[in-house]
Amino acid sequence: MTDPLGDHDREAASPTGERPRVVLGVGGGIAAYKACELLRLFTESGHDVTVVPTAAALEFVGAPTWAALSGKPVATDVWHDVHQVPHVRIGQSADLVVVAPATADLMAKAAHGLADDLLTNTLLTARCPVVLAPAMHTEMWEHPATRDNVATLRSRGTRVIEPAEGRLTGKDTGKGRLPDPAEIFAFALDVLARAAVPGPAADLAGRRVVVSAGGTREYLDPVRFLGNRSSGRQGYALARAAAARGAEVTLVAANVTLPDPAGVKVVPVETTAELRAEVLAAAETADAVVMAAAPADFRPAAVSEAKIKKAGDGSAPGLDLVQNPDILHELSHDRGRPDSVVVGFAAETGDSTGSVLELARHKLERKGCDLLVVNDVSGGAVFGSAENEAVVLAADGAAVEVPRGTKAALSHVIWDQVAARLPGTR
Ligand code: CTP
């Protein structure tokens, strides 16, 4: 399993300082088995988890599994321990409710306020953030009834994660897969953390954002390329954070090996030309674009169709390079939407011509973006690191210093700055 918390703070803490109380609802779908892993991620990071499966969920994974993994008894109906009024108490006392998998049937009930078992009662009584992670066949997800129910739930503030695309039960593939449990966990942690921040938790709801991540490859021949060490972690953290704040996120990922963030549309690319095409297309209708990727500045002038052979005389072939287009510059000067917010990144060391911040201010002007996230890399590279520190410079003169912390924390500061400049909020 990947490290789900690589970009997150590990300690679980509720606004009251106690162990956060999480209700894990489990719907009756084949993906119920993946909720076992989600449960472990919550319990191992110090959360107090009550599992509430539906009766159908117990057909897939039995009550003993949930009880053993959570350390608590498990009930599906409202007739157990009635003197403790569980149908009200569980929802009322929760800091977060996560339902994974959420079936079409369960979402229909939740959208219409039906309460015929313990989970649907819990959903009606919860006043904390509610995250639903749907999983179903594509036809069910796309059915107008489900679309309406999802829209209703979202309009009430319920966080419905877009399902992932890929292999479904049986032979078919399409949209409807439960995202990676580690990614649902990361999403849920973000929602839980945001609940403690003043202001609306889903402040990017209704916004479309594009994030680029990773490092591009420029091929010399079918097997060789010029590349760079960008891991994509900052871009992935940005995508996760935006999704947790309710945005519709397109993540254009160049050669990244991280798991797809929950609820995010991932578009894999390899070269700078592909990255440019996908980012510009998605930017047409986007409210904000963040260029966290490291596109190669140069590419070979020609790509050999056949593998380049070694010369017998021991000589090496010359390498002719040409410059790649500057995507950030293009995005900033030819905006799909004139009121969109464009964000760039800059890794600077400072030199005889200026300090890190002076060079970054010039770069901000040269590129024409609204915000530039500046990493001072004088003391060593940040590639692959889980932490980052930065200054977020704005074209309007503002500068926000972000102390050393997780890439998730930096991501939220960046989205705070973006959100403050979006139309309707500025
Ligand atoms: N960028 C881009 N297209 C490129 C190269 C970079 O959009 N072909 C974006 C990166 O995604 C990042 C920012 O520009 O947001 C980083 O620029 P950087 O490479 O640091 O700037 P350069 O213009 O290459 O400046 P320098 O001369 O300092 O390398």
Side-chain angles (χ1 to χ4, degrees), residues 20-25 42 47-50 90-91 93-99 122 126-131 159 184-185 187-193 195:
R21 281 183 294 259
V22 176
V23 173
L24 175 60
F42 275 119
H47 296 80
D48 171 355
V49 190
T50 303
I90 294 174
S93 62
D95 294 309
L96 177 73
V97 177
V98 182
V99 182
T122 299
R127 292 293 172 268
C128 59
V130 175
V131 174
R159 317 303 302 282
I184 299 174
F185 178 59
F187 185 102
L189 284 197
D190 238 337
V191 169
L192 191 58

Side-chain angles (χ1 to χ4, degrees), residues 356-374:
V356 167
L357 281 188
E358 283 164 352
L359 294 179
R361 277 259 169 239
H362 289 144
K363 189 171 281 184
L364 177 67
E365 269 172 43
R366 213 167 56 237
K367 300 266 189 179
C369 49
D370 303 290
L371 296 167
L372 190 71
V373 184
V374 187

Side-chain angles (χ1 to χ4, degrees), residues 125-143:
T125 51
R127 292 293 172 268
C128 59
V130 175
V131 174
L132 304 184
M136 64 195 72
H137 277 270
T138 312
E139 292 81 356
M140 297 173 94
W141 174 250
E142 288 176 349
H143 193 283

Side-chain angles (χ1 to χ4, degrees), residues 49 88 110 128 144 159 165 173 185 200 205 213 231 248 257 269 274 290 292 303 313 339 402-403 417:
V49 190
V88 176
C128 59
R159 317 303 302 282
E165 284 192 34
T173 58
F185 178 59
S231 67
E248 185 186 326
T257 53
V269 295
E274 289 166 5
V290 183
V303 185
D313 61 3
D339 55 3
V402 190
Q417 294 303 309

